[in-house]
Coordinates of all heavy atoms in Angstrom, one line a residue:
M249 N 134.0 154.0 88.5 CA 133.2 154.7 89.4 C 133.0 156.1 88.7 O 133.9 156.7 88.2 CB 134.0 154.9 90.7 CG 133.1 155.7 91.7 SD 134.0 155.9 93.2 CE 135.2 157.1 92.8
I250 N 131.7 156.5 88.8 CA 131.3 157.7 88.2 C 130.5 158.5 89.2 O 129.7 158.0 90.0 CB 130.4 157.5 87.0 CG1 131.1 156.7 85.9 CG2 129.8 158.8 86.4 CD1 130.2 156.3 84.8
L251 N 130.8 159.8 89.3 CA 130.0 160.7 90.2 C 129.1 161.5 89.3 O 129.5 162.2 88.4 CB 130.9 161.7 90.9 CG 132.0 161.1 91.9 CD1 132.8 162.2 92.5 CD2 131.3 160.2 92.9
D252 N 127.8 161.3 89.5 CA 126.8 161.9 88.6 C 125.7 162.4 89.5 O 124.8 161.7 89.9 CB 126.3 160.9 87.6 CG 125.3 161.5 86.6 OD1 124.9 162.6 86.7 OD2 125.0 160.7 85.7
S253 N 125.7 163.7 89.9 CA 124.9 164.2 90.9 C 123.4 164.0 90.7 O 122.6 163.7 91.7 CB 125.1 165.7 91.1 OG 124.9 166.4 89.9
R254 N 122.9 164.0 89.5 CA 121.5 163.8 89.2 C 121.2 162.6 88.3 O 120.1 162.5 87.7 CB 120.9 165.1 88.6 CG 121.0 166.3 89.5 CD 120.1 167.4 89.1 NE 120.4 168.7 89.6 CZ 120.7 169.0 90.9 NH1 120.8 168.1 91.8 NH2 120.9 170.3 91.2
L255 N 122.1 161.7 88.2 CA 122.0 160.5 87.4 C 121.6 160.8 86.0 O 120.5 160.4 85.5 CB 121.0 159.5 88.1 CG 121.1 158.1 87.6 CD1 122.5 157.5 87.8 CD2 120.1 157.2 88.2
R256 N 122.4 161.6 85.3 CA 122.1 162.0 84.0 C 122.8 161.2 82.9 O 122.7 161.4 81.7 CB 122.5 163.5 83.8 CG 121.6 164.4 84.6 CD 122.1 165.8 84.4 NE 123.2 166.0 85.4 CZ 123.7 167.1 85.8 NH1 123.3 168.2 85.3 NH2 124.7 167.1 86.6
L257 N 123.4 160.1 83.3 CA 124.1 159.2 82.4 C 123.1 158.6 81.4 O 122.1 158.0 81.8 CB 124.7 158.0 83.2 CG 125.5 157.0 82.5 CD1 126.7 157.6 81.8 CD2 125.9 155.8 83.4
P258 N 123.3 158.9 80.1 CA 122.4 158.5 79.1 C 122.4 157.0 78.9 O 123.4 156.3 79.0 CB 122.9 159.1 77.8 CG 123.8 160.2 78.2 CD 124.4 159.8 79.5
L259 N 121.2 156.4 78.8 CA 121.0 155.0 78.6 C 121.7 154.5 77.3 O 122.1 153.4 77.2 CB 119.5 154.6 78.5 CG 118.7 154.8 79.8 CD1 117.3 154.6 79.6 CD2 119.2 153.9 80.9
E260 N 121.8 155.4 76.3 CA 122.3 155.1 75.0 C 123.8 155.3 75.0 O 124.5 155.1 73.9 CB 121.7 156.0 73.9 CG 120.2 156.1 73.9 CD 119.6 157.0 75.0 OE1 120.3 158.0 75.4 OE2 118.5 156.8 75.5
S261 N 124.5 155.8 76.1 CA 125.9 156.0 76.0 C 126.7 154.8 75.8 O 126.2 153.6 76.0 CB 126.3 156.6 77.4 OG 126.3 155.7 78.4
R262 N 127.9 154.9 75.2 CA 128.7 153.8 74.9 C 129.1 153.0 76.2 O 129.2 151.8 76.2 CB 130.0 154.2 74.2 CG 129.6 154.6 72.7 CD 130.8 155.2 72.0 NE 132.0 154.4 72.1 CZ 133.1 154.8 71.4 NH1 133.1 155.8 70.6 NH2 134.2 154.1 71.6
L263 N 129.3 153.8 77.3 CA 129.6 153.1 78.5 C 128.5 152.2 79.0 O 128.7 151.0 79.3 CB 129.8 154.2 79.6 CG 130.1 153.6 81.0 CD1 131.4 153.0 81.1 CD2 130.0 154.8 82.0
V264 N 127.3 152.7 79.0 CA 126.1 151.9 79.4 C 125.9 150.7 78.5 O 125.7 149.6 78.9 CB 124.8 152.7 79.5 CG1 123.6 151.8 79.8 CG2 125.0 153.8 80.6
Q265 N 126.0 150.9 77.2 CA 125.8 149.8 76.2 C 126.9 148.8 76.4 O 126.7 147.6 76.2 CB 125.8 150.4 74.8 CG 124.6 151.3 74.5 CD 123.3 150.6 74.9 OE1 123.0 149.5 74.4 NE2 122.5 151.2 75.7
S266 N 128.1 149.2 76.7 CA 129.2 148.3 76.9 C 129.0 147.4 78.2 O 129.2 146.2 78.2 CB 130.5 149.0 77.1 OG 131.6 148.2 77.5
V267 N 128.5 148.0 79.2 CA 128.1 147.3 80.5 C 127.0 146.3 80.2 O 127.1 145.2 80.6 CB 127.7 148.3 81.6 CG1 127.1 147.5 82.8 CG2 128.9 149.1 82.0
A268 N 126.0 146.7 79.4 CA 124.9 145.8 79.1 C 125.4 144.6 78.3 O 124.9 143.5 78.5 CB 123.8 146.6 78.3
A269 N 126.3 144.9 77.4 CA 126.8 143.8 76.5 C 127.7 142.8 77.3 O 127.6 141.6 77.1 CB 127.6 144.4 75.3
E270 N 128.6 143.4 78.1 CA 129.5 142.6 78.9 C 128.9 141.9 80.1 O 129.4 140.8 80.5 CB 130.7 143.5 79.4 CG 131.4 144.2 78.2 CD 132.3 143.3 77.5 OE1 132.9 142.4 78.0 OE2 132.4 143.6 76.2
R271 N 128.0 142.5 80.7 CA 127.3 142.0 81.9 C 128.3 141.7 83.0 O 128.2 140.7 83.8 CB 126.5 140.8 81.6 CG 125.2 141.1 80.9 CD 124.3 141.9 81.7 NE 123.1 142.2 81.1 CZ 122.2 143.0 81.6 NH1 122.4 143.7 82.7 NH2 121.1 143.3 80.9
E272 N 129.3 142.6 83.2 CA 130.3 142.4 84.2 C 130.0 143.1 85.5 O 130.6 142.9 86.5 CB 131.7 142.7 83.7 CG 132.2 141.7 82.7 CD 133.6 141.9 82.3 OE1 134.4 142.6 83.1 OE2 134.0 141.5 81.3
N273 N 129.0 144.1 85.4 CA 128.5 144.8 86.6 C 129.7 145.5 87.3 O 129.7 145.5 88.5 CB 127.8 143.8 87.5 CG 126.9 144.6 88.5 OD1 126.5 145.7 88.3 ND2 126.4 143.9 89.5
D274 N 130.6 146.1 86.5 CA 131.8 146.7 87.2 C 131.8 148.2 87.1 O 132.8 148.9 87.4 CB 133.1 146.1 86.6 CG 133.2 146.4 85.1 OD1 132.2 146.9 84.5 OD2 134.2 146.0 84.5
V275 N 130.6 148.8 86.7 CA 130.5 150.3 86.7 C 129.6 150.7 87.9 O 128.5 150.2 88.0 CB 129.9 150.8 85.4 CG1 129.6 152.3 85.4 CG2 130.9 150.5 84.2
L276 N 130.1 151.6 88.7 CA 129.4 152.0 89.9 C 129.2 153.5 89.8 O 130.2 154.3 89.6 CB 130.3 151.7 91.1 CG 129.8 152.2 92.5 CD1 128.4 151.6 92.8 CD2 130.8 151.8 93.6
V277 N 128.0 154.0 89.9 CA 127.6 155.4 89.8 C 127.1 155.8 91.1 O 126.2 155.2 91.7 CB 126.6 155.6 88.7 CG1 126.2 157.1 88.6 CG2 127.0 155.1 87.3
F278 N 127.7 156.9 91.6 CA 127.2 157.6 92.8 C 126.5 158.8 92.4 O 126.9 159.6 91.6 CB 128.4 158.0 93.7 CG 129.0 156.8 94.5 CD1 130.2 156.2 94.0 CD2 128.5 156.4 95.7 CE1 130.7 155.1 94.7 CE2 129.0 155.3 96.4 CZ 130.2 154.7 95.9
C279 N 125.3 159.0 93.0 CA 124.5 160.1 92.7 C 123.8 160.6 94.0 O 123.7 159.9 95.0 CB 123.4 159.8 91.7 SG 122.2 158.6 92.2
A280 N 123.4 161.9 94.0 CA 122.7 162.5 95.2 C 121.2 162.5 95.0 O 120.5 162.4 95.9 CB 123.2 163.9 95.4
A281 N 120.8 162.5 93.7 CA 119.3 162.5 93.4 C 119.2 161.7 92.1 O 120.0 161.8 91.2 CB 118.8 163.9 93.2
A282 N 118.1 160.9 92.1 CA 117.9 160.0 90.9 C 116.4 159.8 90.7 O 115.7 159.6 91.6 CB 118.6 158.7 91.1
D283 N 116.1 159.9 89.4 CA 114.7 159.5 89.0 C 114.7 158.0 89.1 O 115.5 157.3 88.6 CB 114.5 159.9 87.5 CG 113.2 159.4 86.9 OD1 112.2 159.9 87.4 OD2 113.3 158.5 86.1
E284 N 113.7 157.5 89.8 CA 113.6 156.0 90.1 C 113.5 155.2 88.8 O 114.1 154.1 88.7 CB 112.4 155.7 91.0 CG 112.7 156.1 92.5 CD 113.9 155.4 93.1 OE1 114.1 154.1 92.8 OE2 114.8 156.0 93.7
K285 N 112.8 155.7 87.8 CA 112.6 155.0 86.6 C 114.0 154.8 85.9 O 114.4 153.7 85.4 CB 111.6 155.7 85.6 CG 111.4 155.0 84.3 CD 110.5 155.7 83.4 CE 110.4 155.0 82.1 NZ 109.5 155.8 81.2
K286 N 114.7 155.9 85.8 CA 116.1 155.9 85.2 C 117.0 155.0 86.0 O 117.8 154.2 85.4 CB 116.6 157.3 85.1 CG 118.0 157.3 84.5 CD 118.0 158.1 83.2 CE 119.4 158.1 82.6 NZ 119.9 159.4 82.3
K287 N 116.9 155.1 87.3 CA 117.8 154.2 88.1 C 117.5 152.8 87.9 O 118.4 152.0 87.7 CB 117.5 154.6 89.6 CG 118.4 153.8 90.6 CD 118.0 154.1 92.0 CE 118.8 153.2 92.9 NZ 118.5 153.4 94.3
T288 N 116.3 152.4 87.8 CA 115.9 151.0 87.5 C 116.3 150.6 86.2 O 116.9 149.5 86.0 CB 114.3 150.9 87.6 OG1 113.9 151.2 89.0 CG2 113.9 149.4 87.3
Q289 N 116.2 151.4 85.2 CA 116.6 151.1 83.8 C 118.1 150.8 83.8 O 118.6 149.9 83.1 CB 116.3 152.2 82.8 CG 114.8 152.3 82.6 CD 114.4 153.5 81.7 OE1 115.0 154.6 81.9 NE2 113.5 153.3 80.8
L290 N 118.9 151.7 84.4 CA 120.4 151.5 84.4 C 120.7 150.3 85.1 O 121.6 149.5 84.7 CB 121.0 152.7 85.0 CG 121.1 154.0 84.2 CD1 121.5 155.2 85.0 CD2 122.0 153.8 83.0
E291 N 120.1 150.0 86.3 CA 120.4 148.8 87.0 C 120.0 147.5 86.2 O 120.8 146.5 86.3 CB 119.6 148.8 88.3 CG 120.2 149.8 89.3 CD 119.4 149.9 90.6 OE1 118.2 149.7 90.6 OE2 120.0 150.3 91.6
Q292 N 119.0 147.6 85.4 CA 118.6 146.4 84.6 C 119.6 146.2 83.5 O 119.8 145.0 83.0 CB 117.2 146.6 84.0 CG 116.1 146.5 85.0 CD 114.8 146.8 84.4 OE1 114.6 147.5 83.4 NE2 113.7 146.5 85.1
L293 N 120.3 147.2 83.1 CA 121.4 147.1 82.1 C 122.7 146.7 82.7 O 123.7 146.5 82.0 CB 121.5 148.4 81.3 CG 120.4 148.7 80.4 CD1 120.5 150.2 79.9 CD2 120.3 147.7 79.3
G294 N 122.8 146.6 84.1 CA 124.0 146.2 84.7 C 124.8 147.2 85.4 O 125.9 146.9 85.9
V295 N 124.4 148.5 85.4 CA 125.1 149.6 86.1 C 124.7 149.6 87.6 O 123.5 149.5 87.9 CB 124.7 150.9 85.5 CG1 125.4 152.0 86.2 CG2 125.1 150.9 84.0
R296 N 125.6 149.6 88.5 CA 125.4 149.7 89.9 C 125.2 151.1 90.3 O 126.0 152.0 89.9 CB 126.5 149.1 90.7 CG 126.7 147.6 90.5 CD 128.0 147.0 91.0 NE 128.1 147.3 92.4 CZ 129.2 147.1 93.1 NH1 130.3 146.7 92.5 NH2 129.3 147.4 94.4
I297 N 124.1 151.4 91.0 CA 123.8 152.8 91.4 C 123.8 152.9 92.9 O 123.2 152.0 93.6 CB 122.4 153.2 90.9 CG1 122.2 153.0 89.4 CG2 122.1 154.7 91.3 CD1 123.1 153.8 88.5
E298 N 124.5 153.9 93.5 CA 124.5 154.1 94.9 C 124.1 155.6 95.1 O 124.6 156.5 94.5 CB 125.9 154.0 95.5 CG 126.4 152.5 95.5 CD 125.9 151.7 96.7 OE1 125.5 152.3 97.7 OE2 125.9 150.5 96.6
T299 N 123.1 155.8 95.9 CA 122.6 157.1 96.3 C 123.2 157.5 97.6 O 123.2 156.8 98.6 CB 121.1 157.2 96.3 OG1 120.5 156.7 95.1 CG2 120.6 158.6 96.6
V300 N 123.8 158.7 97.6 CA 124.5 159.3 98.8 C 123.9 160.6 99.1 O 123.3 161.3 98.2 CB 126.0 159.3 98.7 CG1 126.6 157.9 98.6 CG2 126.4 160.2 97.5
P301 N 124.1 161.2 100.3 CA 123.6 162.5 100.6 C 124.2 163.6 99.7 O 125.4 163.4 99.3 CB 123.9 162.7 102.1 CG 124.3 161.4 102.6 CD 124.7 160.5 101.5
A302 N 123.5 164.6 99.5 CA 124.1 165.8 98.7 C 124.7 166.8 99.6 O 124.4 166.9 100.8 CB 122.9 166.4 98.0
V303 N 125.7 167.5 99.0 CA 126.3 168.6 99.7 C 125.4 169.8 99.4 O 125.2 170.1 98.2 CB 127.7 168.8 99.1 CG1 128.4 170.1 99.8 CG2 128.6 167.6 99.4
E304 N 124.9 170.4 100.4 CA 124.1 171.6 100.2 C 124.9 172.8 100.1 O 126.0 172.9 100.7 CB 123.1 171.8 101.4 CG 122.2 170.6 101.6 CD 121.2 170.3 100.5 OE1 120.9 171.3 99.8 OE2 120.9 169.2 100.3
P305 N 124.6 173.8 99.3 CA 123.4 173.9 98.5 C 123.5 173.5 97.0 O 122.6 173.5 96.3 CB 123.1 175.4 98.5 CG 124.4 176.0 98.5 CD 125.3 175.1 99.3
D306 N 124.7 173.0 96.6 CA 125.0 172.7 95.2 C 124.4 171.4 94.7 O 124.4 171.2 93.6 CB 126.4 172.9 94.9 CG 127.3 172.0 95.6 OD1 126.8 171.1 96.3 OD2 128.6 172.2 95.5
G307 N 124.1 170.5 95.6 CA 123.5 169.2 95.2 C 124.5 168.1 94.8 O 124.1 167.1 94.4
R308 N 125.8 168.4 94.8 CA 126.8 167.4 94.4 C 126.8 166.3 95.5 O 126.5 166.5 96.7 CB 128.1 168.0 94.3 CG 128.2 168.9 93.1 CD 129.6 169.4 92.9 NE 129.8 170.4 94.0 CZ 131.0 170.9 94.3 NH1 132.0 170.6 93.7 NH2 131.1 171.8 95.3
P309 N 127.2 165.0 95.1 CA 127.3 164.0 96.0 C 128.3 164.3 97.1 O 129.4 164.9 96.8 CB 127.7 162.8 95.2 CG 127.3 163.1 93.8 CD 127.4 164.6 93.7
N310 N 128.1 163.9 98.3 CA 129.0 164.1 99.5 C 130.2 163.2 99.4 O 130.0 162.0 99.5 CB 128.2 163.9 100.7 CG 129.0 164.1 102.0 OD1 130.0 163.5 102.2 ND2 128.4 165.1 102.8
L311 N 131.4 163.8 99.2 CA 132.6 163.0 99.0 C 132.9 162.1 100.2 O 133.2 160.9 100.0 CB 133.7 163.8 98.6 CG 135.0 163.1 98.1 CD1 134.7 162.2 97.0 CD2 136.0 164.1 97.7
P312 N 132.9 162.6 101.4 CA 133.1 161.7 102.5 C 132.2 160.5 102.6 O 132.6 159.4 102.9 CB 133.0 162.6 103.8 CG 133.3 164.0 103.2 CD 132.8 164.0 101.9
A313 N 130.9 160.7 102.3 CA 129.9 159.6 102.3 C 130.3 158.6 101.2 O 130.2 157.4 101.4 CB 128.5 160.1 102.0
I314 N 130.8 159.1 100.0 CA 131.2 158.2 99.0 C 132.4 157.3 99.4 O 132.4 156.1 99.2 CB 131.5 159.0 97.7 CG1 130.3 159.6 97.1 CG2 132.2 158.1 96.7 CD1 130.5 160.6 96.0
L315 N 133.4 158.0 100.0 CA 134.6 157.2 100.5 C 134.2 156.2 101.6 O 134.7 155.1 101.5 CB 135.6 158.2 101.0 CG 136.2 159.1 100.0 CD1 137.1 160.2 100.6 CD2 136.9 158.4 98.9
R316 N 133.3 156.6 102.5 CA 132.8 155.6 103.5 C 132.1 154.4 102.8 O 132.4 153.2 103.1 CB 131.8 156.2 104.5 CG 132.5 157.0 105.6 CD 131.5 157.4 106.7 NE 130.4 158.2 106.2 CZ 130.5 159.5 106.0 NH1 131.6 160.2 106.3 NH2 129.5 160.2 105.6
R317 N 131.3 154.7 101.8 CA 130.6 153.6 101.1 C 131.6 152.7 100.3 O 131.4 151.5 100.3 CB 129.5 154.1 100.2 CG 128.7 153.1 99.5 CD 127.9 152.3 100.5 NE 127.2 151.2 99.8 CZ 127.1 150.0 100.2 NH1 127.6 149.6 101.4 NH2 126.4 149.1 99.6
L318 N 132.6 153.3 99.7 CA 133.6 152.5 99.0 C 134.3 151.6 100.0 O 134.6 150.4 99.7 CB 134.6 153.4 98.3 CG 134.1 154.1 97.0 CD1 135.1 155.2 96.6 CD2 133.8 153.1 95.9
G319 N 134.6 152.1 101.2 CA 135.2 151.3 102.2 C 134.3 150.1 102.6 O 134.8 149.0 102.8
Q320 N 133.0 150.4 102.7 CA 132.1 149.3 103.1 C 132.0 148.2 102.0 O 131.9 147.1 102.3 CB 130.7 149.9 103.3 CG 130.6 150.8 104.5 CD 129.3 151.5 104.6 OE1 128.5 151.6 103.6 NE2 129.0 152.1 105.7
L321 N 132.2 148.7 100.8 CA 132.1 147.7 99.6 C 133.5 147.1 99.4 O 133.6 146.3 98.5 CB 131.7 148.5 98.4 CG 130.2 149.0 98.4 CD1 130.0 149.9 97.2 CD2 129.2 147.9 98.4
E322 N 134.5 147.4 100.2 CA 135.8 146.9 100.1 C 136.5 147.3 98.7 O 137.2 146.4 98.1 CB 135.9 145.5 100.4 CG 135.5 145.2 101.8 CD 135.6 143.7 102.2 OE1 136.0 142.9 101.3 OE2 135.2 143.4 103.3
I323 N 136.2 148.5 98.2 CA 136.7 149.0 97.0 C 137.8 150.0 97.4 O 137.5 151.0 98.0 CB 135.6 149.6 96.1 CG1 134.6 148.6 95.7 CG2 136.3 150.3 94.9 CD1 133.4 149.1 95.0
T324 N 139.0 149.7 96.9 CA 140.1 150.7 97.1 C 140.5 151.3 95.8 O 140.5 150.7 94.8 CB 141.3 150.0 97.8 OG1 141.7 149.0 97.0 CG2 140.9 149.5 99.2
L325 N 140.9 152.5 95.9 CA 141.4 153.2 94.7 C 142.9 153.3 94.6 O 143.5 153.4 95.6 CB 140.8 154.7 94.7 CG 139.2 154.7 94.8 CD1 138.8 156.1 95.0 CD2 138.6 154.1 93.6

């Protein structure tokens, strides 16, 4: 699980390339704002993207919303 407020995870990163090669779909990125093209590209490579509300005014993803979503997905830490 990665918290990336603006979905800046590089497509060329070793993490993304590893996910693309393995196709295990086990990397989940939470963001508050995302460029739709980049989101689509990451999803096509096997990265799961979840958009959650931002904490104003700094724009970081809302932690309580992330925890609720993890619960809905039955992911425990």
Side-chain angles (χ1 to χ4, degrees):
M249 181 180 74
I250 298 170
L251 302 180
D252 184 351
S253 57
R254 300 196 194 317
L255 197 59
R256 292 176 279 194
L257 181 64
L259 296 171
E260 309 81 28
S261 70
R262 286 174 47 177
L263 176 70
V264 172
Q265 294 306 308
S266 174
V267 170
E270 304 283 326
R271 287 296 182 188
E272 290 189 21
N273 201 16
D274 60 356
V275 173
L276 176 59
V277 178
F278 283 97
C279 63
D283 173 72
E284 285 301 315
K285 180 180 177 185
K286 176 116 182 236
K287 181 180 174 185
T288 300
Q289 290 173 318
L290 286 167
E291 288 174 333
Q292 288 173 344
L293 291 170
V295 177
R296 295 169 54 190
I297 309 293
E298 291 279 338
T299 304
V300 294
V303 175
E304 299 299 331
D306 61 10
R308 289 180 292 170
N310 183 299
L311 190 55
I314 291 169
L315 293 174
R316 278 191 300 278
R317 185 62 183 137
L318 287 170
Q320 291 169 347
L321 295 170
E322 299 181 2
I323 296 173
T324 59
L325 305 174

